[in-house]
Amino acid sequence: MSTLLWNKSGVKTDSSVMKFLAGEDIVLDRVLFSYDIQATAAHAHGLCVSGLLSEADVNTIVDSLKDLNDLWAKDEFVLDDQYEDGHSAIEAFLTKRLGEVGGRVHLGRSRNDQVLVATRLYMIDSLDAITRLLLDCANASLERAYEHEMDPIPGYTHLQRAVPSSVGLWMGSFAESLADSAELVSMTRKWIDACPLGTAAGYGVNLPLARDKVSQELGFARILINPMAAQASRGKHEHQVVAAMWQGMQDVRRLAWDLSLFSTSEFGFVQMPPETITGSSIMPNKKNPDLAELLRASCATVGACMSELQQLMSLPSGYHRDLQLTKPVLIRATRVTLDAITLVPDVIRRTVFNTTAMRNAIDNPMMATDQAVKLASSGMSFRDAYRTVGESLDDLLEVDPIESLKDRVSPGACADLQLGEIAKRVECISSKYNLA
Ligand code: ARG
């Protein structure tokens, strides 16, 4: 490991202790590295605005940071355990190149606000990407809802046949839930849109830092004012970010559950795209919905990351090294979410719906509720109507399920799905957050 930024002369660092302290941090810092470089350049500009760094120095520092970023993008800079972390690697690169000038950039900041700002920028980019993908999932669901608006399918409660429903209602439910989740994710992005850089170790510094300027350069909406609150936001914000992702993932989990259930021979309602189906190593007849199952399980991973963050957040005020462990779970949850939801729009668009099998699964007793409601609306009390119909379930009038769907006029139900309203909402979320 290169010389430690904080090493005191005369004290030898123990390599096994150092290994434990670093953990997988250097590997994870690869995810945050370009954000750290970007924030370092903004900090250097800020120091210049405050008259703490000459224009000549800032220009050489920023030029070198650009070179570092290019080398990093081209895989020509290696971030490995020769450095304690990404922050040290940036400073080592600058001092190797620029000598004493390189060491000037850390004036007025600490690795504590440095990691905060890099993580914040990473979370913002990730939340934008996740919102876009969730909206695409919602749009794909809407397309299928329009396409099969009035195609009947049983509506189940307790997994028991209940009342006639439609594919339009079923797919529309995903569109609306996914729009809710996309909005939550984009609201979370707005909630965390504040710059922690310039709060240093958590108590500010004896310098007139140009915090607003730095914040603007990095594209933040505002600064996180109180330095102790900035430290306290570490983990707290990560938790909310992962919780918002989890909401999207639990929509995906429900969809994956439905698809795997409805693709069994017992139901035969859907066929998932052939490329998503796997076989068995022993049973030649098997067709397995592994993709749906792993999409479903991915939600558990994100939920576990959320719980791990909750366990970590039991700390007094100020920075504590415990907070380093918020990094792996945030990055894991983000990767898993992105990997999963990238695949979902295509699955929704390409799954085949066997409308005949769906229609045939609706039996006449499923009309009982409609008939009780009809009796009650012509004057009988609902409880009497319920009993009357319940006693004659075997002799119920044969009803075409489509007719039942046409009668379901309560707002949101099969005859009034208001898919256009859901589409407008999806559109509105995407334009409100400039995600078009
Ligand atoms: N790797 C550290 C973290 O993630 C960086 C901050 C180190 N700060 C400190 N005071 N040791 O928290």
Side-chain angles (χ1 to χ4, degrees):
M1 193 175 283
S2 61
T3 325
L4 296 162
L5 294 173
W6 42 266
N7 215 11
K8 318 249 179 317
S9 44
V11 182
K12 238 183 133 263
T13 44
D14 183 301
S15 64
S16 54
V17 169
M18 281 315 300
K19 199 163 172 271
F20 179 72
L21 294 182
E24 49 178 343
D25 209 41
I26 192 71
V27 177
L28 298 168
D29 274 358
R30 291 179 192 156
V31 177
L32 304 178
F33 199 51
S34 57
Y35 298 109
D36 202 352
I37 296 172
Q38 184 193 356
T40 301
H43 180 67
H45 284 136
L47 290 176
C48 183
V49 170
S50 314
L52 299 163
L53 202 60
S54 72
E55 229 172 288
D57 282 353
V58 96
N59 288 340
T60 45
I61 289 173
V62 170
D63 283 348
S64 294
L65 287 169
K66 274 194 196 120
D67 290 345
L68 176 58
N69 207 30
D70 289 346
L71 290 172
W72 176 244
K74 286 189 279 180
D75 251 348
E76 285 169 21
F77 181 85
V78 182
L79 190 56
D80 61 15
D81 58 10
Q82 62 181 301
Y83 307 104
E84 185 186 3
D85 51 31
H87 322 303
S88 318
I90 294 177
E91 195 164 323
F93 180 85
L94 291 177
T95 40
K96 191 165 168 217
R97 271 239 177 146
L98 310 173
E100 177 264 333
V101 171
R104 290 177 184 261
V105 80
H106 207 61
L107 175 64
R109 75 169 180 184
S110 148
R111 283 182 300 165
N112 296 357
D113 59 338
Q114 202 176 344
V115 63
L116 268 176
V117 71
T119 312
R120 194 66 51 103
L121 291 167
Y122 165 71
M123 290 194 284
I124 285 176
D125 271 2
S126 307
L127 292 176
D128 281 347
I130 290 169
T131 307
R132 269 191 211 100
L133 283 165
L134 288 175
L135 289 175
D136 194 24
C137 296
N139 275 325
S141 308
L142 269 173
E143 286 160 30
R144 302 309 306 268
Y146 275 120
E147 187 190 339
H148 292 279
E149 199 167 345
M150 281 305 246
D151 282 329
I153 182 174
Y156 298 91
T157 71
H158 313 264
L159 280 180
Q160 306 292 323
R161 287 176 181 171
V163 293
S165 177
S166 66
V167 178
L169 182 70
W170 177 47
M171 281 291 116
S173 78
F174 289 108
E176 190 165 1
S177 297
L178 287 157
D180 274 346
S181 300
E183 184 157 34
L184 181 66
V185 172
S186 48
M187 279 157 56
T188 304
R189 183 237 197 265
K190 208 164 165 221
W191 192 66
I192 64 162
D193 192 2
C195 185
L197 189 56
T199 56
Y203 297 92
V205 278
N206 45 340
L207 294 170
L209 294 179
R211 291 198 59 205
D212 282 322
K213 276 247 159 359
V214 173
S215 167
Q216 279 155 22
E217 175 173 335
L218 292 172
F220 286 105
R222 60 192 167 89
I223 64 165
L224 228 161
I225 302 169
N226 184 304
M228 287 181 76
Q231 281 309 314
S233 74
R234 186 141 185 228
K236 174 175 175 168
H237 283 196
E238 278 83 344
H239 179 262
Q240 185 51 38
V241 164
V242 174
M245 291 175 188
W246 183 84
Q247 288 291 352
M249 288 304 292
Q250 65 85 30
D251 294 327
V252 168
R253 176 170 65 183
R254 184 165 56 91
L255 173 71
W257 232 130
D258 285 3
L259 293 180
S260 68
L261 183 69
F262 288 168
S263 66
T264 57
S265 311
E266 281 66 20
F267 280 86
F269 290 176
V270 304
Q271 274 158 276
M272 291 186 64
E275 300 76 16
T276 69
I277 299 298
T278 54
S280 152
S281 61
I282 177 171
M283 299 168 282
N285 56 321
K286 287 306 296 291
K287 285 185 184 164
N288 298 328
D290 289 28
L291 175 69
E293 289 165 352
L294 283 176
L295 287 174
R296 181 166 71 198
S298 297
C299 181
T301 306
V302 176
C305 291
M306 188 163 71
S307 313
E308 195 168 328
L309 283 163
Q310 283 164 355
Q311 296 303 315
L312 279 168
M313 298 316 300
S314 172
L315 296 169
S317 292
Y319 174 83
H320 308 276
R321 192 68 180 264
D322 309 51
L323 293 167
Q324 179 170 289
L325 296 193
T326 59
K327 216 188 275 183
V329 272
L330 170 72
I331 291 173
R332 182 150 194 241
T334 305
R335 278 206 185 121
V336 167
T337 302
L338 281 168
D339 287 352
I341 58 177
T342 303
L343 297 173
V344 174
D346 197 49
V347 168
I348 298 174
R349 290 192 170 100
R350 294 181 49 236
T351 292
V352 174
F353 293 149
N354 301 333
T355 50
T356 312
M358 292 173 177
R359 156 80 188 73
N360 290 344
I362 297 179
D363 57 19
N364 215 41
M366 293 179 77
M367 306 299 168
T369 309
D370 281 3
Q371 299 200 12
V373 169
K374 259 192 198 139
L375 265 184
S377 43
S378 54
M380 197 183 278
S381 91
F382 181 75
R383 199 45 61 215
D384 289 341
Y386 175 96
R387 262 185 232 110
T388 311
V389 173
E391 278 155 19
S392 53
L393 282 181
D394 293 337
D395 332 301
L396 283 184
L397 235 68
E398 281 284 333
V399 181
D400 179 347
I402 304 248
E403 294 311 312
S404 160
L405 299 187
K406 283 189 193 151
D407 274 353
R408 281 163 200 282
V409 292
S410 62
C414 295
D416 182 25
L417 289 175
Q418 302 189 28
L419 297 177
E421 287 306 307
I422 300 175
K424 262 195 239 155
R425 177 143 176 257
V426 169
E427 191 45 50
C428 172
I429 298 166
S430 120
S431 55
K432 190 158 150 204
Y433 295 96
N434 277 328
L435 290 161

